[in-house]
Amino acid sequence: APEGPGPDGGRDPGGCRSVPVRPVPDGGRRGPHAPAVAPFGAGIVGVGLTDLVERLRRVQQRHRPDGARLALPSGPVRRFEQAVRLGARRDLAGTVDVAVRLLDPPPGSAPALPGRVVGIGVSDEVVRVYLDRGAAGLAVAPPWTWDEGARTLVAEIGTLRRALAGGGRRRAGPLPTLATVGGGGGEVLLVHLEGLGSVAVDGPPPATEGLVRSLALELAAGPLPAARDLVLVGFGHELERFDRVAAREDAGVLADELAGRVLRTRELLDRSGWRSVDEARRLGAPGAPDPVGVLCGPRVAARDASDLLRTAGDGRCGVAVVAVGGDEAARHVLTLTAQGAGHSLSALGSVLRPQLVSEADQSLAVELVASAAASPPAPDGPVAPGSGTALAPAAAAVPYGHTGSVTRAVAGHRRGVADRARPEVEVAVLGPVLIRGAAREFTRAWARELVVYLAVHPGGASNDAWATALWPDRVLAPSSLHSTASVARRALGRAADGTDHLPRSHGRLALGPSVGTDWEAFGELAASDQPARWREALELVRGRPFDGLRATDWVVLDGIGPAVEAAVVDVSGRLSGHCLRSGDARGAEWAARRGLRVSPYDERLYRMLLRAADLAGNPQGVETVMAELVRVVADEIEPVESVHPSTLALYRSLSRRRAV
């Protein structure tokens, strides 16, 4: 079994889970303060999936009809998304990225790598690069050194980061077929399939298929889909939803196609003098082809799998094949062995806990991506002129998956009226989180997080609910929960009437009526039909909502984050449009920029900026806004989506350039 979290809530970087979701039956109870799910994967597959889903949701938000918020998944898919987010180790992915950027030295400064990369191991302290051959006594460029047996290159993580910050050589995606196989002893191991070439996965059938499926999912959802092609044979067509992923059933025909590709590439390498395609690509050779990864499931006939493995060979020509089952045609073998209730994996001389993905997990991953790629829903009611398009704070408590209209009135929240008195304590979430008016400083960060969670759940939350939101992968003792609540209560202090801002209760917590949020104030101001009130609402927006929290997954999973973003964008667009109609270009720009603080990729607001620049008689401003949008789309959305045709049409109508 994987090792559990440490005292600070972190995970052993070698921890892997093959069954991430432990659903609670309807009407059932988990037991006292038990986590809802276990983290999914060894760390990097979660990063790729989360980033892909968030990019797709940005596209949904950009194309969302005014007055609607996004429908989010529920049930098992929601729990799976939580598991993916828990398992997403951005520190691990970032360390791997730094390591691969520094694999090759600048030209002329030191010898190139003596061999081809076949794997990378990452622990909390060091990065280890596995090569296809050692080279004792051969000099290597800093920050790398040989290990004691001259079998791998090693570098301390701090040294790597300092080298990159000091102007070390940067490269874009030199190892696009790098994927995790497992972890153990505090280290996560990734194999470079192109460097290995032909790989057989041997062992018990369910586990071998789970390992190959995990490679497929991590590569399909990874950060470099535009740098390689992935072909799945005998696995069905589910993963074709991902970019540059194809499913094939005709393994024999595929082997013939790849054989022709290998022949042409070998001739190219012989003429150019490069040792391999991946070396040529890493060192910037023009015309180096992207690699092709072929993953074969257990349904592929043994003869066809052997043909594919022989075609890939050592991977020198940019083709990598992984097949289930031992096969003499493979240059490398990953061996799985049943061990108690789990399995162990032998890979590159190490014994690990394998990263396994079940067929059910894969289906949940595909369903999660499908939900993020679906067309945005229309509002469930008419948008009345002048009505507030801000989602009522109470709508945050609507069950996950409900599609609510952000035009809904704000009268149903805790204090319920537009004429309420200013709260004695205000939890500001429309930017970096602040708690204004508390009696004293919060001595525990998690007590502060509890107050923020309760502030946007006006109906309160059971101890199980808020504990799971803040620590979804940990089991906390009741005494720890009680202590966290007590610290929060002392920090908030008492209201003017002598009652606690956080009243005492058994099994459930809710803030008193003396505590409010800037989100509630935003909703009340936005509900007005007066543009001056809309401006007051937008003045509350200081930056990205909920910025600075330690636990942020619940903001997405509860639907609160998307609701806030949708509401702010709608009010921003409404005020900007009013200013444009009034001839106030500066006011229109201010309103649009306020919304972009929350949703920096929303093209409706960029269209407002284009119109504002044109209204102000500033043709260069039109060009500047369009250039800014293109950069944002490229950084935040691509390769999933590009600039919207409506935006391009508006730009063409306003630009004075002869050629657009």
Side-chain angles (χ1 to χ4, degrees):
E3 296 180 20
D8 61 350
R11 294 179 59 232
D12 169 19
C16 305
R17 302 269 185 172
S18 59
V19 184
V21 181
R22 297 197 297 267
V24 182
D26 292 341
R29 184 172 173 82
R30 290 194 309 274
H33 323 307
V37 293
F40 175 75
I44 293 181
V45 64
V47 174
L49 267 173
T50 301
D51 287 349
L52 175 61
V53 168
E54 289 182 351
R55 288 200 305 271
L56 289 168
R57 284 180 180 158
R58 291 183 192 124
V59 176
Q60 282 187 328
Q61 196 74 286
R62 290 163 64 219
H63 296 173
R64 171 184 59 84
D66 288 345
R69 69 176 171 120
L70 303 184
L72 299 174
S74 58
V77 181
R78 179 189 189 275
R79 290 189 290 271
F80 181 77
E81 180 175 356
Q82 188 175 29
V84 168
R85 290 177 175 276
L86 287 175
R89 288 282 309 278
R90 296 195 178 275
D91 58 331
L92 182 64
T95 298
V96 172
D97 180 66
V98 170
V100 298
R101 287 174 184 270
L102 293 174
L103 280 175
D104 295 297
S109 64
L113 286 177
R116 296 174 59 208
V117 177
V118 296
I120 293 181
V122 184
S123 69
D124 288 334
E125 293 82 23
V126 300
V127 175
R128 190 179 303 275
V129 178
Y130 295 80
L131 303 177
D132 60 352
R133 61 180 181 273
L138 184 65
V140 291
W144 302 104
T145 60
W146 290 109
D147 69 353
E148 294 180 359
R151 187 175 67 91
T152 61
L153 298 174
V154 294
E156 293 184 356
I157 290 176
T159 305
L160 279 173
R161 296 192 179 278
R162 286 192 295 272
L164 187 62
R169 192 166 188 183
R170 294 172 178 265
R171 298 192 177 281
L175 301 178
T177 61
L178 196 66
T180 307
V181 290
E187 181 177 89
V188 170
L189 179 64
L190 299 88
V191 294
H192 182 218
L193 298 181
E194 187 181 3
L196 294 172
S198 51
V199 182
V201 181
D202 193 22
T208 54
E209 185 174 353
L211 180 59
V212 177
R213 191 181 288 108
S214 80
L215 293 172
L217 183 60
E218 186 163 320
L219 289 172
L224 302 172
R228 55 101 191 99
D229 290 297
L230 184 63
V231 182
L232 307 178
V233 189
F235 269 102
H237 295 263
E238 274 192 311
L239 292 180
E240 283 190 306
R241 177 174 292 276
F242 295 87
D243 192 35
R244 291 186 71 168
V245 177
R248 297 281 295 269
E249 301 297 336
D250 49 352
V253 175
L254 176 62
D256 293 339
E257 294 172 0
L258 292 178
R261 175 192 171 105
V262 167
L263 181 61
R264 293 189 298 272
T265 304
R266 185 178 292 119
E267 293 173 353
L268 176 64
L269 291 175
D270 291 341
R271 289 197 306 270
S272 64
W274 295 106
R275 291 182 298 180
S276 64
V277 168
D278 59 315
E279 179 187 71
R281 189 174 55 253
R282 283 203 330 269
L283 299 181
D290 292 338
V292 177
V294 180
L295 304 182
C296 301
R299 296 193 296 272
V300 177
R303 179 177 177 180
D304 290 336
S306 295
D307 289 343
L308 287 168
L309 290 167
R310 275 190 290 269
T311 299
D314 60 2
R316 174 175 175 262
C317 295
V319 174
V321 174
V322 180
V324 171
D327 194 297
E328 295 181 356
R331 298 291 186 97
H332 299 270
V333 179
L334 306 178
T335 304
L336 285 156
T337 306
Q339 189 176 52
H343 296 83
S344 64
L345 169 69
S346 297
L348 302 184
S350 300
V351 179
L352 317 161
R353 295 187 298 274
Q355 175 175 272
L356 307 178
V357 172
S358 68
E359 192 169 0
D361 293 341
Q362 178 180 292
S363 296
L364 288 170
V366 172
E367 191 173 347
L368 174 61
V369 172
S371 71
S375 299
D380 57 1
V383 181
S387 67
T389 59
L391 178 70
V398 171
Y400 194 90
H402 174 78
T403 303
S405 169
V406 297
T407 63
R408 198 159 290 162
V410 297
H413 58 80
R414 184 166 56 231
R415 279 165 294 280
V417 293
D419 298 328
R420 67 178 175 88
R422 183 178 180 85
E424 297 177 33
V425 175
E426 183 178 64
V427 181
V429 299
L430 299 179
V433 170
L434 300 171
I435 299 180
R436 304 184 179 112
R440 55 184 61 86
E441 292 291 329
F442 285 81
T443 57
R444 291 189 190 178
W446 289 113
R448 177 174 173 268
E449 304 251 333
L450 169 60
V451 171
V452 175
Y453 180 83
L454 294 175
V456 292
H457 290 80
S462 67
N463 288 352
D464 278 353
W466 64 261
T468 299
L470 300 186
W471 303 285
D473 60 340
R474 300 176 63 185
V475 180
L476 267 69
S479 59
S480 297
L481 301 185
H482 176 76
S483 175
T484 301
S486 296
V487 171
R489 185 176 295 111
R490 287 196 300 271
L492 288 175
R494 293 179 179 272
D497 62 4
T499 61
D500 288 325
H501 289 307
L502 177 56
R504 301 174 186 275
S505 63
H506 180 70
R508 187 175 187 85
L509 290 178
L511 293 172
S514 53
V515 182
T517 68
D518 57 351
W519 168 226
E520 289 177 309
F522 180 96
E524 292 170 359
L525 292 166
S528 170
D529 59 359
Q530 301 176 23
R533 304 285 277 179
W534 305 342
R535 184 180 179 94
E536 288 182 51
L538 291 175
E539 286 173 345
L540 297 174
V541 178
R542 297 168 291 110
R544 293 289 290 173
F546 300 97
D547 191 20
L549 291 180
R550 289 186 174 188
T552 57
D553 291 343
W554 64 264
V555 175
V556 177
L557 295 170
D558 286 3
I560 296 172
V564 172
E565 183 174 330
V568 172
V569 167
D570 287 349
V571 175
S572 175
R574 193 193 327 156
L575 179 58
S576 186
H578 169 79
C579 291
L580 288 173
R581 291 190 296 272
S582 304
D584 182 5
R586 180 174 296 182
E589 180 183 4
W590 180 89
R593 289 291 179 191
R594 218 67 177 188
L596 288 173
R597 290 186 177 187
V598 171
S599 182
Y601 37 78
D602 197 295
E603 289 192 37
R604 287 167 294 185
L605 301 181
Y606 279 99
R607 290 196 284 271
M608 293 295 184
L609 289 176
L610 289 170
R611 293 188 177 99
D614 182 65
L615 178 63
N618 182 7
Q620 183 56 44
V622 171
E623 305 302 329
T624 300
V625 169
M626 192 63 187
E628 178 185 346
L629 171 60
V630 169
R631 285 194 301 271
V632 169
V633 169
D635 291 342
E636 301 286 342
I637 307 296
E638 287 288 359
V640 180
E641 185 69 355
S642 58
V643 175
H644 195 277
S646 298
T647 309
L648 289 174
L650 176 62
Y651 169 67
R652 289 189 178 99
S653 71
L654 301 178
S655 176
R656 297 183 182 181
R657 290 178 180 269
R658 292 183 178 180
V660 176

